[in-house]
Amino acid sequence: MSTNDNFILAIESSCDETSASVIVDGKVLNNIVATQSVHEKYGGVVPELASRAHQENLIPVVQEAVLSAGISLDQLSAVAFTRGPGLMGSLLVGVSFAKALAFARNIPLIEVNHMQAHILAHFIDDPKPNFPFICLTVSGGHTQLVLVKDYLDMEVIGETQDDAVGEAFDKTAKLLGLPYPGGPLIDKYAKEGNPKAFKFPVTRMPGLNYSFSGIKTAVLYFLRDQLQSNPKFIEENLADLCASIQWTLIEMLQIKLKEAVKQYGVTEIAIAGGVSANSGLRTTLQELATKKGWNLYIPKFEYCTDNAGMIAIAAYYKYLAGEFSSYDVTPLAKMKI
């Protein structure tokens, strides 16, 4: 490393992961993440508890990121942070810290859109997608099809009109009596089940949009009816239920993805967001890509869930473009690409 290297510290605090990362000239040096376990007993993220945990975790996480990068705060060229979307209290912790540090060091601030960052996580490691590409972004709060024309030029061409697919996984898991977060558990049990054992409705929406609230209702009524005649129905059929639910959700995702590819004529395909860690989705899209002749890109697992590495790579491209924020910047709970 030379004295001319541009080090950027990136902070992610949009939900329940406190994370910091240092990037130098496009190379992510580390990705420190503190996970919050306090929410498990409540069956979901409690915003106030998340904010408090961020306050406790942020300074140690930043210190570890800076120390493991082998630099000092004096060497930072900029501080980046997630501006939104996310939980307002959680975002406030990260934004306030970033503003204070940048002001104290008299260095630029870089705001990052969390959803853009999920997409740009593909440029942390090789292989990297070529422009233009279509990214299926799937997380607990968002489900979007995005046409990516350049690093900072993206267009949402389809999105969910209600629940995100991550919510659908977690809510149906709760109906099955699985603890939070239930999405990964559905994926785990689905590997042992028959995806065609039970049929749930595949919701159709106009254009390239999605809707996932219907499957939750369908599963609710289906389980109610089955449990009336057999109180042990879930216990005896858990693997098949998980496999059938997962198959239905993945089917909805791939139907619209195929339509988007046909409509835009783009065969460079990427998936991003927490649900892209789902093994069933990965396998299905890999098989589909082979069949259709697509080039498919999936980030490493550590860059699928919320992390500062993806904030860092997004900040790097904004730094090159000279896109800096003023000190009066405020977080946004809702923020469009």
Side-chain angles (χ1 to χ4, degrees):
M1 297 180 190
S2 72
T3 55
N4 295 321
D5 289 332
N6 293 311
F7 293 95
I8 301 172
L9 171 68
I11 295 166
E12 156 61 18
S13 68
S14 63
C15 190
D16 62 339
E17 308 281 4
T18 311
S19 185
S21 174
V22 174
I23 187 170
V24 55
D25 299 325
K27 178 176 176 57
V28 174
L29 300 181
N30 52 37
N31 185 39
I32 312 301
V33 182
T35 301
Q36 302 176 6
S37 59
V38 66
H39 309 284
E40 293 176 3
K41 60 183 177 182
Y42 298 102
V45 177
V46 181
E48 178 61 29
L49 296 179
S51 303
R52 293 177 185 176
H54 284 305
Q55 289 177 315
E56 295 173 0
N57 295 335
L58 188 53
I59 290 178
V61 164
V62 167
Q63 286 178 327
E64 185 175 346
V66 172
L67 286 172
S68 65
I71 64 170
S72 68
L73 292 177
D74 293 331
Q75 291 175 265
L76 293 178
S77 302
V79 180
F81 61 94
T82 303
R83 186 182 183 189
L87 300 175
M88 183 58 79
S90 294
L91 291 168
L92 271 168
V93 176
V95 173
S96 299
F97 182 91
K99 288 164 70 172
L101 180 57
F103 183 79
R105 297 287 163 181
N106 193 28
I107 53 178
L109 268 175
I110 303 174
E111 64 179 72
V112 172
N113 183 305
H114 183 84
M115 300 312 296
Q116 283 187 329
H118 268 305
I119 295 170
L120 292 176
H122 289 91
F123 295 94
I124 296 176
D125 296 313
D126 290 325
K128 300 177 176 69
N130 298 301
F131 299 113
F133 65 92
I134 291 173
C135 187
L136 172 62
T137 310
V138 281
S139 68
H142 296 80
T143 302
Q144 296 177 328
L145 283 167
V146 183
L147 179 63
V148 186
K149 304 167 189 176
D150 206 339
Y151 298 110
L152 303 177
D153 185 4
M154 305 179 188
E155 177 189 355
V156 177
I157 56 177
E159 60 187 333
T160 182
Q161 301 300 293
D162 40 58
D163 286 354
V165 68
E167 289 177 288
F169 269 111
D170 286 339
K171 288 179 178 179
T172 51
K174 192 171 185 178
L175 294 174
L176 296 174
L178 299 176
Y180 177 87
L185 292 174
I186 285 187
D187 187 23
K188 174 185 175 182
Y189 292 120
K191 295 174 184 176
E192 305 166 8
N194 175 11
K196 300 296 179 67
F198 306 106
K199 187 173 179 60
F200 298 111
V202 174
T203 306
R204 303 276 183 171
M205 293 292 287
L208 298 175
N209 291 326
Y210 294 100
S211 171
F212 294 102
S213 62
I215 188 170
K216 177 194 65 177
T217 306
V219 171
L220 174 67
Y221 290 140
F222 174 77
L223 293 177
R224 181 198 63 185
D225 294 343
Q226 296 298 322
L227 289 170
Q228 286 178 350
S229 56
N230 179 9
K232 293 186 177 182
F233 178 77
I234 294 176
E235 179 184 340
E236 294 172 354
N237 297 277
L238 183 59
D240 286 348
L241 284 165
C242 288
S244 300
I245 290 168
Q246 181 162 288
W247 182 91
T248 305
L249 292 171
I250 292 173
E251 181 69 6
M252 284 192 268
L253 290 172
Q254 68 166 330
I255 286 172
K256 293 297 184 178
L257 179 58
K258 286 188 285 188
E259 290 179 9
V261 170
K262 183 177 181 181
Q263 184 173 328
Y264 287 90
V266 173
T267 56
E268 293 278 301
I269 308 299
I271 60 172
V275 181
S276 65
N278 179 280
S279 65
L281 178 60
R282 284 175 172 244
T283 299
T284 299
L285 292 187
Q286 285 166 341
E287 292 173 352
L288 186 60
T290 300
K291 179 181 177 182
K292 296 285 187 179
W294 301 346
N295 293 320
L296 181 68
Y297 304 89
I298 310 173
K300 291 181 180 178
F301 280 106
E302 67 178 298
Y303 298 126
C304 289
T305 53
D306 293 349
N307 67 91
M310 69 182 195
I311 305 301
I313 194 69
Y316 169 71
Y317 291 113
K318 297 194 79 171
Y319 183 87
L320 294 181
E323 293 189 14
F324 303 121
S325 301
S326 63
Y327 287 116
D328 61 359
V329 64
T330 56
L332 297 173
K334 294 184 178 180
M335 189 177 182
K336 292 185 177 182
I337 288 179

